[in-house]
Amino acid sequence: MQNLKLPITISPSRSAQRRLVCEGAFKLSDMTRLLAECESRSDEVKVSVKFDVDERGLTVMSGTSSTLVALTCQRCNENFDHKLKVEFTFSPAKNEEAAEKIPSYYDVVELDENGEVNLRELIEEEFMLILPLIPRHKIRDCPADADSVWGELPEELEKPNPFDVLKQFK
């Protein structure tokens, strides 16, 4: 295992031939799309990625990545720390035709015109996918009342039951 400074773009096929294992970090401040959705609580994103060739001869890149961010609770509007951790397994494809031949147990990642993958963008997209849709504290940690109601609910109007007409036919 080599502890390398992580490159932004990397060739999965060349790395798989060498059975390369990379461990390192990216700056969280470079992940602008992610930081548009949350705040930074850590300076870096830890990444471990392994390149290999499977029994079918497909190039496979798998690994983990983690970082700490702050999200805004939708119950109380206060920030809370949230650890983002992803595990991924990708097989690169040159085009749509090649992507269709990759088994469903691998996620497909498209190669650029140089046959490389932007590793930083790939990790950022994986983090974006696991962000909670409605971020909020655990209910025991949230300062807001769990059963609080905002505003008045209108009383329901008495509507006639449309099936009352059928009672007349008895």
Side-chain angles (χ1 to χ4, degrees), residues 12-160:
S13 58
R14 282 185 289 201
S15 300
Q17 290 170 355
R18 298 184 326 188
R19 306 272 195 263
L20 188 65
V21 176
C22 299
E23 291 187 359
F26 288 121
K27 288 183 180 179
L28 184 57
S29 60
D30 292 337
M31 296 186 175
T32 55
R33 290 183 304 143
L34 178 64
L35 291 178
E37 301 299 322
C38 55
E39 293 180 27
S40 172
R41 285 288 197 246
S42 175
D43 292 335
E44 61 185 19
V45 175
K46 294 180 181 171
V47 179
S48 174
V49 64
K50 175 184 169 188
F51 297 90
D52 206 352
V53 178
D54 73 357
E55 64 278 352
R56 296 179 68 179
L58 294 171
T59 300
V60 178
M61 49 188 290
S62 59
T64 60
S65 183
S66 64
T67 192
L68 186 65
V69 296
L71 300 173
T72 303
C73 177
Q74 297 300 300
R75 269 192 221 112
C76 66
N77 278 340
E78 292 185 18
N79 285 348
F80 66 98
D81 290 347
H82 184 75
K83 183 171 184 159
L84 296 176
K85 182 172 180 161
V86 293
E87 292 183 18
F88 53 87
T89 304
F90 290 101
S91 184
K94 295 178 184 175
N95 51 37
E96 291 284 327
E97 187 178 305
E100 291 175 6
K101 296 177 183 175
I102 294 177
S104 61
Y105 47 86
Y106 293 136
D107 289 327
V108 178
V109 62
E110 273 196 47
L111 298 170
D112 65 10
E113 62 276 353
N114 300 323
E116 294 183 335
V117 171
N118 189 319
L119 193 55
R120 186 176 63 202
E121 281 183 9
L122 190 65
I123 299 296
E124 183 177 21
E125 287 171 6
E126 289 296 302
F127 282 150
M128 298 283 291
L129 289 172
I130 65 163
L131 282 175
L133 187 61
I134 302 171
R136 51 188 173 210
H137 290 101
K138 288 185 172 47
I139 208 150
R140 68 180 180 276
D141 298 333
C142 191
D145 270 342
D147 59 350
S148 62
V149 176
W150 293 294
E152 294 291 320
L153 296 175
E155 289 189 30
E156 290 196 32
L157 300 174
E158 283 294 320
K159 295 181 183 177

